[in-house]
Amino acid sequence: MSTIEPIPDLGGAAQPLLTVTDLAKLFPIGGGLFEPKKTVRAVDGVSFSIAKGETVGIVGESGCGKSTTARLIMHLMPRTGGDILFDGQLVGEQISMRDFRRGLQMVFQDSYASLNPRLTIEDSIAFGPKVHGVADKEARALARELMGKVGLRPEVFANRYPHEVSGGQRQRVNIARALALKPRLVILDEAVSALDKSVEAQVLNLLTDLKREFGLTYLFISHDLNVVRYISDRVLVMYLGQVVELGPVDEVWDGPAHPYTQALLAAMPAMDPDARTMVPPITGDPPNPIDPPSGCRFHTRCASAESVCSAVCPALSPVAGGEHMAACHMVIPGSGHSRAPALGEVA
């Protein structure tokens, strides 16, 4: 009897499960007889790591590079630069793409487009294990077991097709399909954004339960800040293809250090009618990624911008001496910004 064996843990709890270094994706566009080629800098030097058993959330405006980053990690598109390590092994060299794809699965936003309309729910979940050598009978038994784990009764849903179930039920199918190969890391790209709020809450609670039961690690991508705060341990904020803030979710929410993060949080709807936002916390559209601004890419929309912001690109620097980091001259000691701490101090 063939079974799917999980990718072994090589480095122990101290070694990050995923390490991304200087990840980049440039899209060349244009370029005719009299027109020079231009480049869209979709992802530009993104670096972060995910600890084993952790949930890291990625937030930012549409077009900031969240989903492109996920697709680069999954190798669904070729990257322009950067390295990806899975449990300390360089992907494609020290660990094969077949093993990497088995150890890392992805759940997409569009639950219907993610499923083959000609396959029943049972066939969809069993397909991955069968590709990896599991016998048909065992694969179907695994599929039915996972359907139960995600709250779908096999006797009711096993022989249904994707168009015969609701959006929330389809997303549960996609989660079960992702778990069928016993991954260690699951990337969730806007996995709940298309669902009704009541269904969204059910799926979020399901993800939390599955993480605990299967020992999973999540990379959770969403534009909904409330959802990210609920499910994440750490949060990564992206703007125009770059990481501008990174840290434990409560520290970032309680003390956002980057003006862009402050604007995102200030724009969140409030239940209290007396706490309505009367002045927009951020104005204008993000700059064109073909020709991004020099220095800090947010300086064209930042109320605190000074000359150093347009001249020098700030590096991710510690905030309050902890794991919280921000790419802003106002937190870098001696950066030249009038609100920056003096040399030897920490923001």
Side-chain angles (χ1 to χ4, degrees), residues 25-286:
K25 179 61 181 178
L26 310 181
F27 291 99
I29 60 171
L33 184 60
F34 303 104
E35 182 182 354
K37 281 190 176 181
K38 296 181 179 180
T39 302
V40 176
R41 309 185 75 85
V43 176
D44 196 5
V46 169
S47 299
F48 64 96
S49 63
I50 307 177
K52 293 167 184 175
E54 184 182 36
T55 298
V56 172
I58 301 183
V59 299
E61 290 174 292
S62 296
C64 72
K66 305 186 299 293
S67 294
T68 303
T69 297
R71 283 162 172 75
L72 291 174
I73 294 172
M74 278 294 298
H75 288 69
L76 296 179
M77 60 173 66
R79 61 186 185 273
T80 306
D83 291 322
I84 299 172
L85 276 73
F86 188 78
D87 204 0
Q89 294 182 300
L90 191 61
V91 177
E93 295 185 14
Q94 296 168 311
I95 181 173
S96 68
M97 285 304 304
R98 181 181 176 86
D99 286 342
F100 176 68
R101 287 258 173 83
R102 194 159 58 83
L104 188 154
Q105 290 288 295
M106 189 166 177
V107 179
F108 296 90
Q109 176 179 359
D110 192 333
S111 61
Y112 187 74
S114 300
L115 297 170
N116 187 333
R118 297 184 178 183
L119 294 181
T120 64
I121 289 173
E122 180 181 285
D123 288 334
S124 291
I125 300 172
F127 182 81
K130 287 197 285 186
V131 168
H132 282 265
V134 177
D136 180 79
K137 182 179 179 180
E138 284 75 23
R140 292 183 181 278
L142 175 62
R144 287 177 173 260
E145 178 186 348
L146 289 172
M147 289 171 64
K149 296 286 187 184
V150 299
L152 299 174
R153 292 166 57 196
E155 64 273 17
V156 174
F157 292 94
N159 294 316
R160 290 189 182 181
Y161 288 87
H163 70 275
E164 297 178 311
V165 298
S166 68
Q169 291 166 342
R170 281 196 297 267
Q171 204 61 296
R172 290 172 184 262
V173 175
N174 283 309
I175 293 169
R177 190 178 61 161
L179 296 179
L181 294 178
K182 298 186 179 178
R184 296 178 61 194
L185 173 64
V186 178
I187 298 178
L188 300 137
D189 185 11
E190 301 280 8
V192 298
S193 62
L195 306 178
D196 293 339
K197 284 301 174 184
S198 60
V199 179
E200 177 186 275
Q202 294 171 13
V203 173
L204 287 173
N205 289 332
L206 170 65
L207 290 171
T208 302
D209 293 339
L210 292 173
K211 178 185 176 184
R212 186 184 308 112
E213 180 176 353
F214 291 97
L216 297 171
T217 301
Y218 289 152
L219 178 61
F220 192 91
I221 297 169
S222 179
H223 64 276
D224 190 326
L225 299 177
N226 285 315
V227 169
V228 169
R229 183 171 194 183
Y230 173 77
I231 200 169
S232 301
D233 300 306
R234 285 191 302 140
V235 63
L236 182 152
V237 184
M238 289 187 67
Y239 180 78
L240 212 63
Q242 295 183 334
V243 179
V244 297
E245 191 155 359
L246 173 65
V249 66
D250 289 334
E251 288 187 28
V252 173
W253 251 250
D254 295 339
H258 197 283
Y260 177 62
T261 310
Q262 295 168 6
L264 286 180
L265 295 174
M268 290 174 63
M271 298 296 291
D272 183 358
D274 295 326
R276 289 178 295 178
T277 302
M278 305 303 294
V279 179
I282 186 172
T283 58
D285 295 322

Side-chain angles (χ1 to χ4, degrees), residues 2-23:
S2 300
T3 58
I4 294 288
E5 294 294 334
I7 301 295
D9 186 342
L10 298 178
Q15 179 168 277
L17 181 58
L18 184 76
T19 303
V20 175
T21 307
D22 293 330
L23 192 65

